[in-house]
Amino acid sequence: MEFDDYESLPSGSIGVHMTAGALAGVMEHSLMFPIDSVKTRMQSLAPSPEAAYRSIREGLVKMVSSEGLLRPMGGINAVILGAGPAHAFYFSAYEGIKSTFGSSNSFQNHIVNAGAGCGATLFHDAVMVPADVIKQRMQMYNSPYSSCFDCLRKLYRSEGVKAFYRSFTTQMVMNLPFHAVHIVTYEKIQSVMNPERVYNPKAHMVSGAVAGAVAAALTTPLDMCKTVLNTQETSALVQLQQSRVIGIVGALRTIYLMNGFPGFFKGIHARILYQMPGTAISWSVYELFKHHMMNPNKNESPLPRWDNDLIKDSVIRDNANDGDSASKSHSDGDIDGKGLVQERFITLGTTTNKTVERLRTLHMPTLTANCTAADDIWLGK
């Protein structure tokens, strides 16, 4: 596929970007959700002894053995409902900004890609932040909520709408650099592994994984702040004798008082392990569906030509391959591999008593002279 066709879709393809983005988001979050659940618990400031995990494997084993097989999936409904529209907005905004302000200059393109990632984040977080609040409340150990809807209802009754956007500023502060680094890294690795910018599953997967790992590692402290604001961990609040953690400054202070400087990097291994396959899946699925939705008929067999039966029965003879045809613009020819139209020279084959009638049913002006000649030949006989 040509670069311009694949990498720069027309604005009318926004539906392709949104659909592919929604599918990518749902796949990413659904497949990696158990690891995300362990990461949330590992970021707890004052974990219960039963929920103190030293590794992702230990966390998953303890969750399943003590709380049930489906416990690592608690809160996934909120993510599925949020990830679809959030990623649809994200990828469509990203593609739109990139195609509008893209440049042939490499440095300018890095700036545009970073800006596209930041701009797309605004749309993404507006939808995803409330879903993250519900998800992380459900993921906590001994969560008091029986379902995502129960969590939504109780949070709204006890804390109002602000509870769902308490971490919005912090998440924006985290996600803007995250997606700027993520996009720039992804595009840079793509330029090395896939310079032609064609559909290349291996390149998309590797680029996505590396980009996710780099961005995740650099923004872990801000992710800790987001978790603290979303969960409002009761045991930590009791120890600090405060009713709420408010704002990014309050989150930073709470983390430092509870766990010191190392507290800002709690769960970093789980976060990287979550983001690497997560972003690899997201980009791979997005590029896959984008590729296939742009070429819905690429695997279909070509339609049979109108003259196959006539050539087979020797009624006419196709001289296109006889060496005397030329490639030029002609409305009666076939399009060749270079986008030109190949003029075809068709002559009569062995005439029979049905030749003239079969030719006349084609209603082709270019064969009128040949039909006349056929009449003369037949009548002459």
Side-chain angles (χ1 to χ4, degrees), residues 365-376:
T366 55
L367 292 178
T368 301
N370 284 342
C371 287
T372 303
D375 282 339
D376 293 339

Side-chain angles (χ1 to χ4, degrees), residues 138-171:
M138 293 288 295
Q139 288 173 331
M140 292 300 291
Y141 180 69
N142 280 338
S143 174
Y145 311 108
S146 59
S147 66
C148 291
F149 179 75
D150 180 54
C151 180
L152 172 67
R153 181 171 54 84
K154 288 181 177 178
L155 270 179
Y156 178 74
R157 285 183 177 179
S158 62
E159 301 178 46
V161 176
K162 63 182 180 182
F164 300 101
Y165 284 94
R166 187 176 284 121
S167 66
F168 182 77
T169 303
T170 302
Q171 191 145 329

Side-chain angles (χ1 to χ4, degrees), residues 33-50:
F33 195 84
I35 296 178
D36 185 55
S37 295
V38 175
K39 181 206 69 125
T40 296
R41 292 196 180 187
M42 291 180 75
Q43 290 179 329
S44 174
L45 297 176
S48 300
E50 298 85 355

Side-chain angles (χ1 to χ4, degrees), residues 121 125 132 168-179 215 219-224 226 248 271:
T121 300
D125 285 1
D132 266 339
F168 182 77
T169 303
T170 302
Q171 191 145 329
M172 286 296 299
V173 171
M174 176 187 73
N175 281 345
L176 288 175
F178 176 90
H179 287 290
T219 56
T220 295
L222 292 169
D223 187 59
M224 268 296 301
K226 181 200 76 170
I248 186 171
R271 177 166 164 77

Side-chain angles (χ1 to χ4, degrees), residues 170-210:
T170 302
Q171 191 145 329
M172 286 296 299
V173 171
M174 176 187 73
N175 281 345
L176 288 175
F178 176 90
H179 287 290
V181 172
H182 178 196
I183 294 297
V184 170
T185 305
Y186 178 82
E187 294 289 350
K188 180 63 177 177
I189 298 176
Q190 280 284 291
S191 66
V192 175
M193 294 188 65
N194 186 20
E196 298 84 8
R197 295 305 177 94
V198 296
Y199 175 62
N200 186 332
K202 180 180 178 181
H204 299 319
M205 184 168 291
V206 173
S207 301
V210 175

Side-chain angles (χ1 to χ4, degrees), residues 236-271:
L237 294 176
V238 170
Q239 290 187 40
L240 295 173
Q241 297 181 347
Q242 59 188 60
S243 59
R244 288 278 183 275
V245 180
I246 301 174
I248 186 171
V249 175
L252 291 169
R253 176 179 175 274
T254 301
I255 294 168
Y256 184 76
L257 290 175
M258 291 295 298
N259 298 128
F261 183 76
F264 294 108
F265 292 91
K266 293 186 72 172
I268 186 171
H269 296 101
R271 177 166 164 77

Side-chain angles (χ1 to χ4, degrees), residues 263-282:
F264 294 108
F265 292 91
K266 293 186 72 172
I268 186 171
H269 296 101
R271 177 166 164 77
I272 292 174
L273 188 59
Y274 166 77
Q275 288 291 349
M276 281 188 69
T279 48
I281 291 169
S282 180

